[in-house]
Amino acid sequence: MSALSREVIWDRLREGGLAEGELPAPGEGRSPWFVRVMLGFAGWIGASFLLGFVGVGFVFVMKSATASVLVGAAACSAAAVIFRASPRGDFASQFGLAVSLAGQALMVFGLFQWFERSITGIALAVAMQQALLFVLLPNYLHRVWAAWSGTYAASFALLDMGLQAFVPAAVTAAFLAVWLREFDHPRHGELVRSGGYGLALAAVQTAVMHGELWYSWMQARGGAVLFGGEAGAWIGAVTCGAVLLWAVITLLRREGVPLASAVGKIALAGAAILAFLSLKTPGVGPAAAILVVGYANGNRVLAGLGIVALLGYLSHYYYALHATLLEKSVLLACAGLALLLLRLALLKWWPRAKEVGHA
Amino acid sequence: MANPRNEILEWTEQGRIEQRNLRRALELGEVLPTAEEWRRFLERLLLFMGSAMLAAGVIFFFAHNWQELGRYTKFGLVEALMLVALALSWRLGLDRASGKATLLVTALLTGALLALVGQIYQTGADTFELFAAWAVAVLPWVLVARFPALWILWLALVNLAVTLYFQIFHGWFGVIFGPERQLWLLFSLNTAALVTWEAAAASGVVWLRERWAARLIATASGAFVTALAVLAIIDWKGSGVLNTLAWIAWLAAAYAFYRVRAKDVYMLAGGVLSAIIVTATFLGKHLVQTEAASFGFLLVGLIVIGMSAAGGYWLKNVATEEDR
């Protein structure tokens, strides 16, 4: 993967019969990912001051659940109008983002009062609210946020229902389903990618670093009842492994690699090792999936997120409480050795070759 | 620098490339990996994941402090593993990724060995001493490896040693609110590392040109100086002037270097975020504690939104300017 100039790429596309005419004029340009992250942070800072404005200036709004939800919904509607009226305006985008974030916080505040102690009710309502906002508010950064927070809220609902064992598999599957079909809907690319990034962040939070969330949640609630008990936990872990295998098979098929070929077998063996490891070391598989899918789609941001997630998980795993340090050490050492042996197999059965097209 | 992936995706969205040809276009634009690139990627992935897991497994094993094993067996095990990793690194050579990976494993195992010494002999050493000793012990390998990841590991160890030192001598409260001395030390340390890194990269050291490492160090340096400026605003003391001057000097230096000389939009974006945080803190302190607090909140919110929008616009232009 190299970085060719616009002119060289266009010439290649014309020579390959994929494009016609002159090189298109440079568009307004997409902001790099870190500029978007900066705008997201700043949006939240701006939103917190707007919330302060409502909280201090309009106390009655905060005192009434209905008023909170209505004012919040009005703010989100205003943001939708702003985004649609000025889709490319920098100030409008940032203003719309902050107004919508403040509106969402108000709605969540109201929902907490409406549903009182029903975490499932609150979480499902927030998930639906964020799903609606994802569809209705046409702003890239906002959609990333809506997809991320909506998925996170949905995972809380599942957790409260005792289905936490299935959250990593569900979120990882949703993330993989979107990114593995990224190129199937090019006209809706912005929608697919913003949702995909939101799901990637949610996968890091719930599937990679999930131990922290689940255990602190269980402790706070005095022990959430796990659906299916011990068997439920195993079924969830096996499902997560199955998702990984499915993703690798889908990727191999997409890349035109026969499953029975040497390359296919090596890839499947790697996935099987990670799937097996995921039974007791659940964050490794989803993190590796983010890295591999990012690489497969030529997406360095996603691949980088996968690397950060992997390193973060290994550091975090030391403190995870579900296994002793001895069990964890045996698992990690065996998996590490298996991966290194697989590398030797790769060097032997997949020799460095002349370029024979794409894998 | 152009981003071929984004360009091709945008042309397809505009209808300049047919949807069914997108994948082929991405291949021609060298966006998607070739068979050889896939092979290299998987080989590296298996190498680094395998090595990291193996090293982590060994560290976890010794942290478990298994009583069935005698002290000499434990020392023998970890030292034997270190020797094997070191020998492999020497055999493979530091120009190869596998050689670098095994040296990284050796550096990680050094930490396990030092922790084992503390565990078995109950030296009474504080945690910060472990990390400080670890950093000193692996320094020779770091110096010869020409490997950014190893340098980052070393810098992380030094940062941890400093943080833990202050945690022990100032308690958790001190860590959370960041006593100025600690923040100054961490800021100076990371800024010195960044300056050295950039100077060496500019003088032609090729392996230091990997931007992720410099960006990571700059993020740490920027976060600490921003915290110093915020601290000066929240709790104004005599040293507040110095903190503020350091922050302004850092912003000016970052602009001069990363806008004028080296052009790195990531660093500039960090500077914009820092400016927004410090401005919001300053205005928040002075405007929302007045009688007209609600309008103070609104005004600060609008200023933050305006600053970030202007910053985003400027950064996008700088990034596009690089593309053209």
Side-chain angles (χ1 to χ4, degrees):
Chain A
M1 283 183 278
S2 63
L4 304 172
S5 71
R6 299 179 79 246
E7 291 76 13
V8 172
I9 302 168
W10 189 254
D11 285 345
R12 283 191 183 185
L13 296 180
R14 281 206 311 189
E15 283 164 19
L18 303 182
E20 290 176 356
E22 293 302 307
L23 172 69
E28 290 192 22
R30 292 161 196 258
S31 296
W33 66 269
F34 39 81
V35 175
R36 289 179 169 171
V37 170
M38 183 279 285
L39 290 172
F41 267 115
W44 261 114
I45 297 173
S48 60
F49 280 101
L50 294 185
L51 263 179
F53 166 64
V54 176
V56 176
F58 304 91
V59 182
F60 70 93
V61 174
M62 306 302 276
K63 284 187 174 170
S64 156
T66 310
S68 289
V69 171
L70 287 177
V71 173
C76 290
S77 307
V81 173
I82 294 167
F83 287 145
R84 286 176 192 278
S86 180
R88 299 274 168 198
D90 291 282
F91 182 79
S93 295
Q94 197 62 6
F95 185 61
L97 178 69
V99 167
S100 175
L101 291 175
Q104 288 164 43
L106 274 176
M107 283 199 282
V108 172
F109 184 72
L111 290 173
F112 262 90
Q113 295 179 62
W114 266 353
F115 286 95
E116 291 183 346
R117 286 173 181 273
S118 169
I119 297 296
T120 303
I122 296 167
L124 282 179
V126 173
M128 281 191 283
Q129 167 195 307
Q130 297 307 87
L132 261 180
L133 293 174
F134 176 83
V135 176
L136 296 175
L137 270 64
N139 175 278
Y140 190 88
L141 198 54
H142 190 280
R143 280 186 165 146
V144 173
W145 162 254
W148 177 14
S149 50
T151 310
Y152 195 49
S155 71
F156 256 94
L158 291 173
L159 175 60
D160 197 48
M161 288 188 265
L163 296 169
Q164 63 266 40
F166 301 94
V167 170
V171 178
T172 309
F175 155 79
L176 288 166
V178 170
W179 282 106
L180 286 172
R181 295 176 65 88
E182 182 195 2
F183 305 132
D184 294 353
H185 310 284
R187 292 284 152 81
H188 304 288
E190 291 259 325
L191 196 71
V192 171
R193 275 183 288 284
S194 55
Y197 281 120
L199 284 167
L201 291 169
V204 170
Q205 213 169 2
T206 60
V208 180
M209 306 299 282
H210 69 308
E212 196 61 47
L213 166 73
W214 298 158
Y215 285 111
S216 56
W217 178 256
M218 282 182 206
Q219 278 167 2
R221 301 263 299 168
V225 181
L226 176 63
F227 179 80
E230 188 70 13
W234 280 104
I235 294 169
V238 170
T239 314
C240 203
V243 166
L244 278 179
L245 284 168
W246 159 77
V248 170
I249 291 169
T250 309
L251 188 57
L252 286 170
R253 286 194 174 136
R254 194 186 85 171
E255 302 290 320
V257 180
L259 299 184
S261 66
V263 179
K265 283 177 188 165
I266 288 168
L268 285 171
I273 292 171
L274 291 181
F276 182 72
L277 184 65
S278 290
L279 295 177
K280 277 288 177 188
T281 313
V284 171
I290 296 173
L291 171 57
V292 172
V293 169
Y295 187 80
N297 285 15
N299 188 330
R300 291 179 185 194
V301 177
L302 207 55
L305 181 68
I307 292 172
V308 172
L310 259 178
L311 292 174
Y313 180 72
L314 280 182
S315 318
H316 158 79
Y317 187 54
Y318 184 87
Y319 299 100
L321 299 174
H322 64 283
T324 66
L325 276 171
L326 186 62
E327 289 167 345
K328 288 191 273 194
S329 78
V330 171
L331 261 174
L332 282 177
C334 290
L337 269 177
L339 291 177
L340 290 173
L341 287 174
L342 189 63
R343 175 178 172 267
L344 291 179
L346 180 146
L347 294 175
K348 183 172 168 55
W349 283 298
W350 189 0
R352 192 169 293 159
K354 293 166 224 125
E355 296 257 341
V356 286
H358 285 76
Chain B
M1 193 181 284
N3 184 328
R5 181 183 146 89
N6 287 351
E7 296 289 353
I8 293 168
L9 290 173
E10 198 165 304
W11 292 335
T12 313
E13 275 184 47
Q14 290 167 356
R16 299 295 302 264
I17 298 170
E18 281 190 49
Q19 293 189 42
R20 62 190 167 88
N21 291 332
L22 172 60
R23 206 181 150 78
R24 180 72 192 129
L26 289 167
E27 286 170 1
L28 285 176
E30 296 181 9
V31 172
L32 300 182
T34 61
E36 193 53 33
E37 284 168 336
W38 260 117
R39 182 191 174 281
R40 192 175 132 89
F41 166 76
L42 289 177
E43 188 258 315
R44 293 274 169 101
L45 181 67
L46 292 171
L47 174 67
F48 281 100
M49 265 185 83
S51 308
M53 283 184 187
L54 192 58
V58 173
I59 291 170
F60 285 22
F61 177 77
F62 288 106
H64 176 68
N65 194 13
W66 199 11
Q67 300 297 331
E68 307 293 317
L69 281 181
R71 66 175 63 168
Y72 294 113
T73 316
K74 285 179 183 171
F75 276 124
L77 260 176
V78 74
E79 283 167 6
L81 284 169
M82 279 178 72
L83 277 176
V84 169
L86 206 55
L88 269 174
S89 179
W90 176 72
R91 175 90 174 79
L92 295 163
L94 290 175
D95 288 330
R96 293 166 68 172
S98 45
K100 287 183 163 76
T102 44
L103 196 61
L104 184 66
V105 170
T106 318
L108 292 172
L109 291 176
T110 307
L113 178 66
L114 290 170
L116 194 62
V117 172
Q119 190 186 75
I120 288 179
Y121 294 107
Q122 293 295 311
T123 56
D126 290 314
T127 330
F128 81 89
E129 289 175 285
L130 165 69
F131 287 101
W134 189 351
V136 171
V138 299
L139 187 59
W141 296 327
V142 176
L143 285 169
V144 298
R146 287 170 288 133
F147 186 27
L150 205 49
W151 270 107
I152 294 298
L153 171 71
W154 183 81
L155 196 59
L157 291 176
V158 178
N159 271 277
L160 262 172
V162 171
T163 309
L164 291 169
Y165 172 83
F166 279 93
Q167 194 185 99
I168 287 163
F169 292 101
H170 294 272
W172 276 106
F173 188 81
V175 171
I176 292 163
F177 292 96
E180 276 185 73
R181 234 161 26 118
Q182 179 187 2
L183 288 174
W184 267 107
L185 192 56
L186 289 170
F187 165 61
S188 310
L189 172 75
N190 290 289
T191 308
L194 179 65
V195 170
T196 313
W197 191 289
E198 294 290 17
S203 67
V205 184
V206 180
W207 62 271
L208 282 176
R209 288 190 185 152
E210 284 192 29
R211 294 311 297 162
W212 71 267
R215 287 174 173 182
L216 196 61
I217 304 171
T219 305
S221 164
F224 290 126
V225 79
T226 305
L228 279 170
V230 168
L231 194 68
I233 295 166
I234 294 171
D235 182 21
W236 182 262
K237 290 185 290 200
S239 57
V241 178
L242 196 61
N243 292 10
T244 313
L245 284 176
W247 176 69
I248 293 170
W250 181 86
L251 269 192
Y255 177 81
F257 190 78
Y258 295 114
R259 174 71 183 102
V260 181
R261 196 182 155 96
K263 275 190 189 169
D264 190 327
V265 186
Y266 176 93
M267 308 293 198
L268 298 175
V272 170
L273 184 59
S274 172
I276 290 169
I277 291 171
V278 173
T279 309
T281 310
F282 178 79
L283 294 176
K285 184 177 179 184
H286 292 96
L287 289 181
V288 303
Q289 289 175 1
T290 60
E291 285 181 10
S294 67
F295 286 100
F297 273 113
L298 180 63
L299 187 62
V300 181
L302 290 175
I303 289 172
V304 167
I305 292 164
M307 277 182 78
S308 54
Y313 176 76
W314 174 62
L315 291 167
K316 194 165 68 178
N317 280 346
V318 175
T320 316
E321 173 190 293
E322 286 182 331
D323 286 351
R324 289 172 186 170

